[in-house]
Amino acid sequence: MNNSPTFMNNTKPEGMSLPDWVQQHLEIAEQSAHLNAFVHLFKDEALAAAQNIEKAIAHGKKPGKLYGVIISVKDNICIADRPVSAASAILKGYVSPFSATAVERLVAEDAIIIGTTNCDEFGMGSASTHTIYGAVRNADDADKVAGGSSGGAAVSVQIGACHLAIGTDTGGSIRQPAAFCGLAGFKPGYGKISRHGLIAYASSFDQLGFIARDTSLIRLAYDICRGTDEFDSTVSSAAEAAEIPVSTARLATLSDFFPASNVFTQQCFRLIHELGKHFNLTTTSFNGMDYLVPTYYILTTAESSSNLSRYDGVRYGLRVGEEGSLDTMYTQTRTRGFGAEVEKRIMLGTFVLSEGYYDAYYTKAQKVRRWVRNQLETLFQESDFVLLPVTASGPWPIDYKSNDPLEVYYSDVYTVLASLAGLPAISIPVDFENEKVHLQIIGKPNNEHNLLAISEKIISLSLK
Ligand code: GLN
């Protein structure tokens, strides 16, 4: 069981100095080092930042909206003058010359970054075990995984070292670890928060998002980070949609996602039906579940094979075999620098983009993606939110090795739906049947505020 210290209060006690508050959180992080949640702790820098904020306030500056909020940043998001490696050997030791836009916006509101968090290499994985820093362990049971790829982000909040973790979600990497660690995890719709300063995995899916205990902190962080950015032309300037009154919200669920044989998802099904007593709920079928995971993996491996071609030993990080020919240097650098999972995905992606197979795989997957979006668009004409499980199981043992190489990929089936459609989605813990049951809610485009509002309403209900 968890014997790590926890500090669950978001509010700095009256009279405590900001450096002391930061120090307390750093100590919690240090005492939980065995969980491998953090890659680097920026002790001196965090304390210096706290002192500077206090000084500025003493000179009349108004405290920022995130004054007193301690945050962690996933190791695939850049912070100026700090190392960032995407948990890979190829980028180990690389120091970023600039900060991600979202990081800048949070820091400008007085958030204090205490460290960077461990994850799957380049965000590729579902358990935070594909990392050069050692697998992330779940604080509720250190023999279990914390989920992935933002596993360290989730644990940084789970142990109480941080109030808010910034992560990335390409196909579930915020929602799934949040669920495995008993927290809320929110991925805004595609293009709502700038990707400037994110180390790309699959650019048409990647989104920055947040993990916290508390959805109100997520809402605050989202409002601070969202909006156009001169460094990312894909950020939409669309305003938030009109308010949907929670009392008349129309919920839908998809029957195909609840196999009768799975007791875990059956509990989520009972929860959703209980919610049907409080809201208008319809159950419909999706008829395309089998296509989701293959489509997601074809498109994301294709995009990653292109994105990761920049790591060649010339421009960033590791360089091996310099004394040989250029080809030798490329080959040796990439062989030494990439882990097995990343190599597998680069090869798969290169295959689906190759001349002979492009139409059979890549083009077809693009069409399926469009079809999935259209299906959801139709569904959203009759409903405001779609409710699903987050996962088909709880966290698995850290040393679990499957004989089926696709098993872990298929575990992403619940989260990739929103990612294929670029829709906002959240995973929240709901008290039900004397347990914390994790529920995923998907919203319509530009409905992030409405999604957070319905989440808060559902969390506040007392269900049996
Ligand atoms: N588990 C999924 C994958 O491995 C999702 C990862 C993510 O969202 N970064 O691709």
Side-chain angles (χ1 to χ4, degrees):
M1 265 315 278
N2 172 25
N3 49 14
S4 312
T6 54
F7 205 90
M8 292 185 192
N9 191 350
N10 270 349
T11 334
K12 183 168 74 58
E14 196 75 35
M16 181 186 274
S17 77
L18 191 59
D20 284 351
W21 180 239
V22 171
Q23 179 63 30
Q24 261 191 22
H25 289 79
L26 284 163
E27 281 167 18
I28 295 170
E30 278 171 344
Q31 283 155 12
S32 299
H34 61 287
L35 300 174
N36 285 329
F38 286 91
V39 174
H40 294 287
L41 279 178
F42 305 133
K43 241 177 134 166
D44 296 345
E45 297 86 343
L47 289 169
Q51 273 152 9
N52 286 340
I53 292 170
E54 293 284 55
K55 236 184 262 164
I57 291 173
H59 284 94
K61 179 190 164 298
K62 208 171 131 244
K65 291 185 188 134
L66 297 175
Y67 174 78
V69 174
I70 315 286
I71 66 173
S72 65
V73 176
K74 186 177 177 182
D75 188 38
N76 64 351
I77 301 171
C78 296
I79 312 171
D81 305 320
R82 305 271 182 279
V84 61
S85 70
S88 73
I90 208 153
L91 277 178
K92 188 160 188 243
Y94 174 75
V95 175
S96 174
F98 67 96
S99 286
T101 300
V103 167
E104 267 185 0
R105 292 183 183 177
L106 294 170
V107 169
E109 290 294 347
D110 291 344
I112 295 201
I113 301 170
I114 59 162
T116 50
T117 53
N118 198 357
C119 57
D120 286 299
E121 190 176 333
F122 289 100
M124 297 178 186
S126 305
S128 301
T129 49
H130 301 302
T131 149
I132 59 162
Y133 303 111
V136 179
R137 294 174 178 274
N138 195 312
D140 284 339
D141 178 349
D143 293 327
K144 298 239 171 94
V145 300
S149 65
S150 313
V155 175
S156 76
V157 176
Q158 187 188 26
I159 60 175
C162 296
H163 308 122
L164 180 78
I166 320 180
T168 58
D169 188 309
T170 303
S173 277
I174 284 177
R175 290 163 282 158
Q176 184 255 31
F180 278 9
C181 297
L183 304 164
F186 171 66
K187 170 199 103 77
Y190 185 76
K192 296 311 291 278
I193 293 183
S194 169
R195 284 178 295 114
H196 174 63
L198 262 61
I199 295 182
Y201 159 16
S203 311
S204 76
F205 291 78
D206 296 341
Q207 258 302 270
L208 188 140
F210 309 101
I211 298 176
R213 266 180 210 288
D214 183 344
T215 46
S216 60
L217 189 52
I218 290 180
R219 179 195 298 266
L220 188 57
Y222 167 68
D223 279 338
I224 290 167
C225 292
R226 73 193 164 102
T228 50
D229 176 21
E230 61 174 317
F231 298 113
D232 179 359
S233 60
T234 63
V235 181
S236 118
S237 55
E240 286 285 307
E243 187 188 330
I244 299 170
V246 282
S247 55
T248 55
R250 299 164 303 166
L251 313 185
T253 190
L254 305 168
S255 54
D256 338 42
F257 285 79
F258 300 90
S261 57
N262 184 321
V263 290
F264 190 86
T265 54
Q266 281 303 317
Q267 189 179 30
C268 187
F269 190 66
R270 290 196 297 278
L271 163 64
I272 292 170
H273 279 268
E274 190 62 28
L275 292 174
K277 296 181 186 157
H278 300 260
F279 302 94
N280 171 344
L281 173 76
T282 49
T283 305
T284 167
S285 72
F286 179 69
N287 292 327
M289 197 175 160
D290 290 351
Y291 303 130
L292 299 177
V293 168
T295 306
Y296 170 80
Y297 277 95
I298 288 170
L299 296 175
T300 56
T301 55
E303 292 187 27
S304 70
S305 76
S306 162
N307 273 327
L308 271 57
S309 65
R310 76 191 72 189
Y311 306 110
D312 54 9
V314 178
R315 285 163 290 187
Y316 310 91
L318 185 75
R319 180 179 299 169
V320 189
E322 218 174 343
E323 55 298 338
S325 68
L326 189 62
D327 272 349
T328 310
M329 193 270 284
Y330 284 161
T331 313
Q332 291 189 2
T333 300
R334 292 165 70 82
T335 304
R336 187 86 62 80
F338 286 133
E341 180 63 26
V342 173
E343 283 182 349
K344 183 158 83 181
R345 296 198 191 195
I346 292 174
M347 280 164 39
L348 258 171
T350 308
F351 173 78
V352 300
L353 289 177
S354 62
E355 198 183 344
Y357 295 96
Y358 187 91
D359 282 336
Y361 292 102
Y362 186 72
T363 309
K364 194 171 275 177
Q366 293 275 39
K367 288 181 183 164
V368 178
R369 186 178 198 183
R370 167 55 59 197
W371 177 83
V372 167
R373 284 183 185 181
N374 291 348
Q375 285 245 88
L376 284 171
E377 229 165 75
T378 311
L379 185 68
F380 275 127
Q381 280 164 12
E382 310 280 308
S383 42
D384 303 311
F385 303 100
V386 173
L387 272 49
L388 292 177
V390 188
T391 53
S393 76
W396 49 84
I398 209 143
D399 52 8
Y400 177 72
K401 294 253 178 313
S402 174
N403 295 326
D404 176 0
L406 296 181
E407 187 182 342
V408 172
Y409 292 175
Y410 272 96
S411 74
D412 294 334
V413 66
Y414 294 96
T415 47
V416 298
L417 177 65
S419 306
L420 282 161
L423 294 172
I426 190 167
S427 132
I428 50 166
V430 183
D431 290 318
F432 179 63
E433 297 180 345
N434 299 319
E435 282 178 55
K436 286 240 174 288
V437 178
H438 284 273
L439 176 68
Q440 182 180 200
I441 314 175
I442 305 176
K444 301 191 231 198
N446 305 317
N447 272 259
E448 283 78 2
H449 283 173
N450 285 322
L451 182 59
L452 289 162
I454 191 83
S455 304
E456 279 153 17
K457 177 72 192 168
I458 290 174
I459 291 171
S460 75
L461 294 172
S462 10
L463 305 168
K464 295 232 170 63

